[in-house]
Amino acid sequence: AYETMSCMEGLIEYYRMTGTSRVFDAVKYLHVKLVSNELNPLMGVGYFDHFVDAAHRANAVTEPCDVIHWMRVNRELYILTGDAVCLDFMEKAFYNAFLAGVYRDGRWGAHAVRSHGSRHRPAPSQVGMKRHQCCVDNMPRGFADWAKTQLGRRRDGTVDVNFYSDVRVLDKDGVGVSISGNYPVSNVVTVRVAAATSVGVNFRVPGWCKEMTVDGAVVRGPWHRIGAAQGTHVLTFDMTPRVVSTYAENTVYKVDWFYDKPANDWLVNMFECVEENPEMKGRARHSAGAYVMRGPLVLAKCSRAGETLENIFDVRTVNRCACQATVRPVANGSVWGAWQPTLKQGNDSREFNVSDFASAADTDDPANAFSIWF
């Protein structure tokens, strides 16, 4: 997966140099196929480095290298086209699949990020070097790409505010932008703009956001422009939770050239990886589940949020049901964001203890438990 997307990056660069439109068309068509068939519930693409219809699998597992290159492809497409949809894909990948793979102490990371289980698959050392592994080596690149994309500059001089993480930026032309508010755990941010001369700013309206306000006024997307933006602006985002249903294919693929066994078997083996994580045996799902998003964040039932093992690994699901969700924030020093969502169907309702997906299992702890499935 990451090799294919690295080639897509190369084709984009070739197009920049030559203007060969069919090359750029090929990348755009590939991007559409990835979104349709390979975008997984962790907001990366592929199934542990394979393109095998990952969007329609009962389990989700993604390699950080794949997530990093998915972010890079979307970054390059945004730079070329200005299409805010590419930033939506990049944002959701960063806050979920990417950050989940980076251990919170910053010393190491995962080789595969799972939708549920005890921990993500830890990154093993490679080629006899204790502190070398390709996914971990690439993680600084992911942070750098995110930082370089937080603001953009258009040909007319206006500034694009693409992402709303806390940041302070001073560009080469003396335009300063600072953002604060602990987004996306919080749905309110403050943006301060300072420039020697008048400068326009385009605030990105995320595709998932049904209603965004700037200084109290409802705005429409994908961009909201302020002609002379010096000063302070308060932005709010509608983060009403969304229950997202999935559909798992039962098709058995035969891939003799690689595995010589039915795909459903080796996909389960790749997900559980019991030779490295014995506590994962039997944890793979065999039926589709639903997941819940709040803003750009995937939510996860988890031990760190105080949820029980019984509820975390309950295979009963609201998938493909008419289910409504509400959430209320709670205090929890073990995770970045903590909430108690209520899922309601008819007269029945259940409450859960959840965190942002990235916080649920961002250390190598076999005693931990988490799941995105509801």
Side-chain angles (χ1 to χ4, degrees):
Y2 66 80
E3 290 166 346
T4 300
M5 288 185 286
S6 182
C7 290
M8 291 171 68
E9 294 174 53
L11 290 173
I12 292 172
E13 188 63 21
Y14 182 82
Y15 168 72
R16 279 200 184 97
M17 297 178 68
T18 67
T20 308
S21 60
R22 67 184 181 89
V23 171
F24 188 43
D25 289 342
V27 175
K28 290 187 287 186
Y29 294 146
L30 280 167
H31 188 273
V32 169
K33 292 292 287 183
L34 294 184
V35 172
S36 299
N37 299 337
E38 301 298 337
L39 188 64
N40 60 53
L42 311 179
M43 302 299 129
V45 288
Y47 190 101
F48 193 37
D49 195 27
H50 292 69
F51 290 147
V52 286
D53 200 24
H56 304 115
R57 297 294 174 186
N59 303 287
V61 57
T62 193
E63 192 175 47
C65 280
D66 300 339
V67 182
I68 291 160
H69 280 281
W70 175 237
M71 291 194 299
R72 286 175 65 83
V73 166
N74 281 287
R75 166 181 158 78
E76 295 299 326
L77 288 173
Y78 155 70
I79 291 171
L80 271 180
T81 68
D83 191 343
V85 171
C86 298
L87 298 173
D88 288 339
F89 290 126
M90 189 174 178
E91 177 185 54
K92 288 185 283 190
F94 177 80
Y95 284 127
N96 296 291
F98 176 73
L99 286 183
V102 182
Y103 289 171
R104 62 175 60 189
D105 63 5
R107 296 174 62 86
W108 200 241
H111 187 204
V113 173
R114 294 182 172 106
S115 55
H116 63 282
S118 56
R119 51 182 165 165
H120 302 304
R121 184 176 177 180
S125 58
Q126 292 176 330
V127 296
M129 299 172 65
K130 184 177 180 180
R131 290 299 177 188
H132 163 71
Q133 205 276 336
C134 62
C135 290
V136 180
D137 291 349
N138 269 318
M139 286 170 186
R141 173 188 285 185
F143 283 113
D145 287 337
W146 175 261
K148 289 191 296 183
T149 317
Q150 181 134 13
L151 297 183
R153 200 71 182 267
R154 301 194 183 190
R155 291 179 179 176
D156 63 5
T158 58
V159 175
D160 284 353
V161 179
N162 296 328
F163 305 132
Y164 297 101
S165 296
D166 288 6
V167 72
R168 288 180 299 185
V169 179
L170 181 64
D171 74 8
K172 61 182 178 62
D173 297 320
V175 178
V177 177
S178 67
I179 303 174
S180 59
N182 197 34
Y183 174 98
V185 170
S186 167
N187 71 322
V188 181
V189 300
T190 300
V191 181
R192 295 178 175 85
V193 181
T197 58
S198 179
V199 62
V201 170
N202 305 294
F203 292 114
R204 169 179 154 262
V205 181
W208 50 261
C209 186
K210 290 184 177 180
E211 184 173 289
M212 172 175 159
T213 68
V214 176
D215 300 328
V218 176
V219 300
R220 300 285 177 244
W223 301 97
H224 173 69
R225 180 166 182 164
I226 297 180
Q230 286 89 333
T232 299
H233 305 277
V234 177
L235 282 58
T236 65
F237 304 86
D238 180 357
M239 292 191 178
T240 301
R242 306 165 327 263
V243 179
V244 184
S245 290
T246 63
Y247 178 74
E249 294 279 3
N250 293 318
T251 306
V252 176
Y253 295 81
K254 189 72 174 178
V255 194
D256 294 320
W257 59 268
F258 196 61
Y259 283 100
D260 195 31
K261 65 176 71 173
N264 284 357
D265 291 342
W266 59 261
L267 289 173
V268 167
N269 292 338
M270 291 169 71
F271 177 80
E272 293 182 350
C273 192
V274 294
E275 65 274 14
E276 295 178 16
N277 307 145
E279 77 281 359
M280 284 293 298
K281 185 173 179 59
R283 288 273 168 84
R285 289 181 65 95
H286 298 279
S287 59
Y291 58 96
V292 179
M293 296 194 72
R294 177 188 175 274
L297 296 177
V298 176
L299 303 183
K301 301 174 290 184
C302 61
S303 302
R304 289 175 173 170
E307 191 53 273
T308 65
L309 290 178
E310 180 182 7
N311 284 341
I312 291 172
F313 295 123
D314 190 351
V315 296
R316 294 175 298 172
T317 179
V318 297
N319 193 49
R320 306 180 77 184
C321 298
C323 182
Q324 302 297 317
T326 57
V327 297
R328 66 180 184 90
V330 295
N332 187 318
S334 300
V335 293
W336 184 20
W339 297 270
Q340 283 187 337
T342 300
L343 301 188
K344 186 174 182 180
Q345 183 183 6
N347 294 324
D348 296 330
S349 65
R350 289 188 64 188
E351 288 189 348
F352 300 91
N353 298 298
V354 308
S355 77
D356 60 290
F357 172 64
S359 295
D362 57 355
T363 53
D364 184 9
D365 183 3
N368 188 45
F370 70 100
S371 175
I372 69 167
W373 303 116
F374 291 82

